[in-house]
Amino acid sequence: MDTGLIAAMVVLALLAGYILTSCILLRYPNLLHKKKKLAFRPVHISHRGGAAENLENTMAAFQHAISTGTQMLELDCHLTKDGQVVVTHDVTLKRTCGEEVAIAETDYKAGDFTVFCLNYHQVTGEDRRMPLLRDVFAAFPNLPINVDVKVNDDQLIAEVNLLIQEFNREHLTAWGNHNAQVVEKLYKTNPNVPLIFSLRRVAVLIALFYTGLLPFIPLKESLLEIIMPSIILDLLMRPALIHHLEKRGIQTYLWVLNSEEEFERAFRIGATGVMTDFPTMLRDYLDQKHPGWR
């Protein structure tokens, strides 16, 4: 028999074996990987505490979101000049207070930058104070909190970790950043805190899935958060992938969804939870379409 033909047959046999093994492990990943066990599984997640119903990232927003039955708060944090971890999204105070000054250059003082001037989606509210992460952890000790560590700052990462440990909530806190370097630092600082995929790792996840390598590769992340709509979402939202991640104990959240049509699509494609600016709307949708969600 021609040696070239033999070589081709061997290659085909190896390829067929690889594809078969990959398909089996994609469906039954626990043959190779231990399933992650998280202490939380939120269906209803409030983005910045519900930014369309109250001033974002305020205690009033968080309290309101909890009153709607939210199962996780998502928030953002920065470090002030005097070493305080504040709950706010932006690097500067321009959008919230009209001052072009960096939070990292400002001390945390009442009457300084703790007052908002924000009018997001025509939202008004009496609580215009920018809280400390410490305040949030103290106020909601048993609620899962999703922390976006906004900048690549070693001191910020260290301080957030100290607060997580102080309030004994490694099992109730998720953290991440879109930047892969920040996420690596988070993991090295405390691998016990559930980790969110960075954008780079999302791209790696896509490549691993479509090449059939994903079932063979360990994943340190526990949470996949994807913006919708997006091209990335269309690539990721395959039932086989979502089911595979689910069986490995990796939860999938879609954000920021602000209509019933978006809620419907998210749950139809298998998302674990939805992150919204409208916690009341999401509660009403879930009560009607998924009455056993609470």
Side-chain angles (χ1 to χ4, degrees):
M1 185 178 293
D2 183 82
T3 55
L5 179 59
I6 294 175
M9 291 175 64
V10 170
V11 170
L12 288 174
L14 290 173
L15 181 60
Y18 165 71
I19 293 173
L20 178 62
T21 304
S22 177
C23 289
I24 292 172
L25 290 176
L26 187 69
R27 189 170 182 180
Y28 303 104
N30 302 123
L31 294 173
L32 194 60
H33 305 286
K34 183 178 179 180
K35 185 175 182 178
K36 300 174 186 290
K37 295 183 179 180
L38 302 185
F40 52 82
R41 187 180 174 80
V43 174
H44 186 301
I45 307 167
S46 294
H47 180 244
R48 305 183 195 174
E53 296 183 8
N54 276 274
L55 288 176
E56 65 182 50
N57 284 322
T58 59
M59 295 298 286
F62 301 144
Q63 290 283 6
H64 172 70
I66 290 170
S67 75
T68 69
T70 200
Q71 297 164 323
M72 173 180 274
L73 296 175
E74 188 273 347
L75 54 79
D76 314 278
C77 62
H78 287 274
L79 192 70
T80 65
K81 185 178 180 180
D82 53 348
Q84 299 296 315
V85 181
V86 291
V87 178
T88 187
H89 179 272
D90 299 358
V91 174
T92 74
L93 301 174
K94 180 66 176 178
R95 179 174 65 96
T96 54
C97 301
E99 298 290 337
E100 192 62 73
V101 57
I103 288 175
E105 298 173 356
T106 311
D107 289 333
Y108 187 83
K109 299 175 183 177
D112 190 347
F113 76 99
T114 60
V115 177
F116 284 81
C117 304
L118 188 63
N119 191 27
Y120 182 80
H121 286 298
Q122 307 303 313
V123 170
T124 59
E126 294 183 1
D127 183 8
R128 311 183 80 79
R129 179 176 176 272
M130 191 180 294
L132 297 173
L133 184 60
R134 171 181 294 279
D135 298 336
V136 180
F137 282 173
F140 314 113
N142 301 314
L143 187 72
I145 296 178
N146 184 320
V147 179
D148 188 348
V149 181
K150 296 304 295 184
V151 293
N152 189 356
D153 183 319
D154 292 349
Q155 185 182 354
L156 172 60
I157 293 170
E159 293 294 335
V160 172
N161 182 52
L162 286 174
L163 287 169
I164 291 171
Q165 293 179 320
E166 177 183 343
F167 286 89
N168 190 30
R169 53 175 303 120
E170 288 177 321
H171 63 301
L172 287 175
T173 307
W175 61 359
N177 184 285
H178 68 276
N179 184 285
Q181 186 177 8
V182 176
V183 173
E184 284 299 320
K185 289 182 178 181
L186 295 175
Y187 184 71
K188 289 179 180 178
T189 298
N190 192 338
N192 296 319
V193 180
L195 192 68
I196 301 167
F197 280 85
S198 67
L199 286 179
R200 182 188 301 171
R201 288 285 292 172
V202 170
V204 170
L205 183 68
I206 293 172
L208 291 174
F209 175 67
Y210 282 100
T211 58
L213 288 170
L214 180 60
F216 304 97
I217 306 299
L219 298 171
K220 60 181 178 292
E221 297 88 354
S222 298
L223 304 168
L224 175 64
E225 294 185 358
I226 318 166
I227 190 169
M228 188 176 88
S230 69
I231 295 175
I232 290 178
L233 175 68
D234 292 337
L235 290 172
L236 281 169
M237 291 301 98
R238 297 290 181 267
L241 172 58
I242 298 304
H243 294 159
H244 175 80
L245 294 177
E246 175 70 25
K247 289 179 179 179
R248 291 175 68 164
I250 298 173
Q251 300 178 12
T252 301
Y253 306 154
L254 269 62
W255 63 280
V256 176
L257 311 190
N258 290 327
S259 71
E260 291 190 3
E261 291 77 16
E262 291 178 329
F263 301 159
E264 185 69 27
R265 182 188 178 198
F267 290 116
R268 186 173 63 250
I269 60 182
T272 307
V274 162
M275 195 180 300
T276 185
D277 290 321
F278 293 88
T280 302
M281 182 193 300
L282 179 56
R283 177 203 61 194
D284 293 345
Y285 165 82
L286 289 169
D287 284 345
Q288 181 181 3
K289 298 296 183 66
H290 304 274
W293 71 278
R294 294 176 189 264

